[in-house]
Amino acid sequence: MIDGTAGVSGHREADESLLDDPDALAERDPGGMLRHTASAGAQVRESAALTAEANLSALADEGRPRAVVIAGIGTAGRTGDVLATVAGPRCPVPVIPHRSAGVPGWVGAADVVIAVSASGRSPEALGAAEAAHRRGARLVAVGAPDSQLQSVAERARAPFIPVPRRAPARASLWALTVPVLLAARTLGLVKVNEADLAETAARLDADADRSRPTAESFVNPAKSLALGLAGSIPIVWGSSPLATVAARRFGDTLSANARYPVVTGALGEAGRGRVGLLDGVFGGLAEGERDIFADPEEADGDGTRLRLVLLRDGGLNAEDDTDEPLAVEERRAEAVQTLAERRGVRCDVVVAEGGSALERLASLVAVPDFASIYLAMAHGLDPMAVPAITEMKELSNQ
Ligand SMILES: O=P(O)(O)OC[C@H]1O[C@@H](O)[C@@H](O)[C@@H](O)[C@@H]1O
């Protein structure tokens, strides 16, 4: 056990046996990150109900906006990426996630700003809500009830969707995402229907069940993904725009929960650049030097290696002429798997399931979310405590 300078303690080598010991898991997760993450399906249902109560109909009175800006940081910011991908390339107006304070200079009365903050107090979301109001843009706010964000929304006479704060922002992705999607639906920008929401919630429940702490590693997809990643540098690539949102989300949770460095991105882009990582000192070069007769279970003392996680969409974009043809995405995914295999870089593949874009996204997010928590716990790290983020906020006075 090592004690870090910030009071975080853990061990460098992952201890596999911890993951199959429910008491040890409970002890290492005092804040209940596993429980919060397992509530994803419930978050979808609850947020759908809360959004219905908030009555967004006035939002549509002025018709279709020129553009929609989703303002927020961290997980709140990811909701903008989710909306952009679910709206897809056929969306009639630009959907623009915005992560810095204020709003882009061009935002005006013809636009809609959706300000999102789990705590209801991030300077980015508050600044955007205030700027939207000043400029006469339509505003929708999503976040903690009785927060500063709610006050700004009330002052602006803008709809506010209260999302109860039960967990850290990163374990509230679904609670924050659903109001954003439903606001966009009211504006006529996405086709998310009640069945899509119900099926997405059911998918999240089923994946939470497969990933539950009492399911042992050999049948638990999240535990086996975590153990595969242990001690490696994860490279997470998404085969499509939708899968890339899931890849970036896995980057967020691997960094914050497991405190692993991680490279994430779109496979299309990586294939023209970052795929070169597979040849480097953490990739093919390291694998080439490995003694093929060595016991793979032996402690991995001879260097850190890459581990590729490929999130494959295989979605329903065949008829979508403005999106990349499915066949290209599929060929690229096969190609990178071959490349990794030739270099001895191990690769995990998660394949999306489900009919709607939202459900497919859920199927690529759920198991990796749990894996990031199990990876933290295999190292004896409390997945909830993030002293570096708190310290950063204090030092930068935010
Ligand atoms: O959603 P809010 O509360 O604005 O927080 C936005 C982000 O803030 C950061 O400091 C972290 O806490 C992130 O996990 C979070 O997503």
Side-chain angles (χ1 to χ4, degrees):
M1 189 62 96
I2 331 165
D3 285 317
T5 44
V8 171
S9 55
H11 32 85
R12 285 196 61 147
E13 298 294 332
D15 179 351
E16 209 167 309
S17 65
L18 283 178
L19 296 192
D20 286 330
D21 176 346
D23 293 334
L25 286 178
E27 200 180 299
R28 276 166 184 75
D29 182 22
M33 278 295 267
L34 283 172
R35 184 169 40 84
H36 291 309
T37 302
S39 76
Q43 290 178 33
V44 169
R45 294 184 200 98
E46 185 184 36
S47 272
L50 289 167
T51 311
E53 280 167 30
N55 186 12
L56 297 176
S57 53
L59 200 58
D61 288 351
E62 290 161 59
R64 187 180 279 174
R66 179 180 61 175
V68 177
V69 171
I70 304 87
I73 195 84
T75 303
R78 282 277 165 252
T79 64
D81 301 337
V82 175
L83 173 58
T85 197
V86 171
R90 288 180 180 223
C91 181
V93 310
V95 173
I96 300 163
H98 182 75
R99 295 183 161 82
S100 46
V103 290
W106 50 261
V107 168
D111 304 304
V112 168
V113 173
I114 308 180
V116 189
S117 169
S119 61
R121 54 165 198 254
S122 82
E124 291 79 7
L126 289 174
E130 271 156 12
H133 179 42
R134 264 196 319 276
R135 292 177 193 211
R138 273 176 279 174
L139 171 68
V140 183
V142 178
D146 306 315
S147 61
Q148 283 166 271
L149 186 60
Q150 177 163 12
S151 315
V152 178
E154 278 167 6
R155 244 182 297 133
R157 297 181 193 285
F160 176 77
I161 298 143
V163 174
R165 194 137 202 250
R166 305 209 177 91
R170 62 187 184 282
S172 310
L173 174 71
W174 297 99
L176 296 171
T177 294
V178 168
V180 171
L181 292 171
L182 294 180
R185 181 177 76 178
T186 307
L187 293 163
L189 309 185
V190 275
K191 292 196 205 101
V192 176
N193 59 35
E194 305 317 310
D196 296 339
L197 290 172
E199 281 157 20
T200 301
R203 168 79 52 191
L204 289 165
D205 286 345
D207 281 345
D209 187 54
R210 294 195 299 142
S211 306
R212 69 190 183 278
T214 51
E216 296 198 346
S217 301
F218 67 96
V219 289
N220 185 318
K223 288 182 183 175
S224 41
L225 183 56
L227 291 173
L229 288 171
S232 71
I233 300 175
I235 309 282
V236 189
W237 284 327
S239 70
S240 69
L242 180 133
T244 301
V245 174
R248 299 225 153 91
R249 161 72 179 175
F250 198 18
D252 297 342
T253 57
L254 279 173
S255 307
N257 297 335
R259 279 146 275 205
Y260 262 53
V262 54
V263 176
T264 62
L267 186 54
E269 176 72 19
R272 306 295 174 87
R274 290 187 180 188
V275 77
L277 284 168
L278 299 179
D279 292 327
V281 289
F282 299 112
L285 273 181
E287 301 294 342
E289 275 171 15
R290 195 165 53 168
D291 176 1
I292 52 164
F293 298 109
D295 179 355
E297 299 296 321
E298 286 268 284
D300 202 357
D302 59 345
T304 306
R305 299 195 173 86
L306 301 179
R307 176 101 182 186
L308 182 61
V309 179
L310 187 58
L311 303 184
R312 289 186 68 156
D313 186 349
L316 308 168
N317 68 2
E319 78 284 3
D320 217 335
D321 47 33
T322 46
D323 209 348
E324 192 131 46
L326 192 56
V328 174
E329 285 173 5
E330 294 285 292
R331 282 204 303 274
R332 218 182 256 141
E334 299 293 338
V336 80
Q337 282 176 247
T338 306
L339 237 64
E341 200 176 299
R342 285 182 184 161
R343 286 155 180 77
V345 174
R346 279 150 307 161
C347 177
D348 296 286
V349 183
V350 183
V351 181
E353 287 174 39
S356 67
L358 191 63
E359 187 183 352
R360 292 207 316 281
L361 180 72
S363 75
L364 293 178
V365 166
V367 167
D369 268 10
F370 280 99
S372 71
I373 298 170
Y374 285 127
L375 184 54
M377 292 200 279
H379 286 283
L381 291 164
D382 173 356
M384 192 179 275
V386 273
I389 298 179
T390 314
E391 227 172 297
M392 182 78 191
K393 280 184 189 159
E394 283 164 10
L395 288 170
S396 60
N397 201 11
Q398 283 195 317

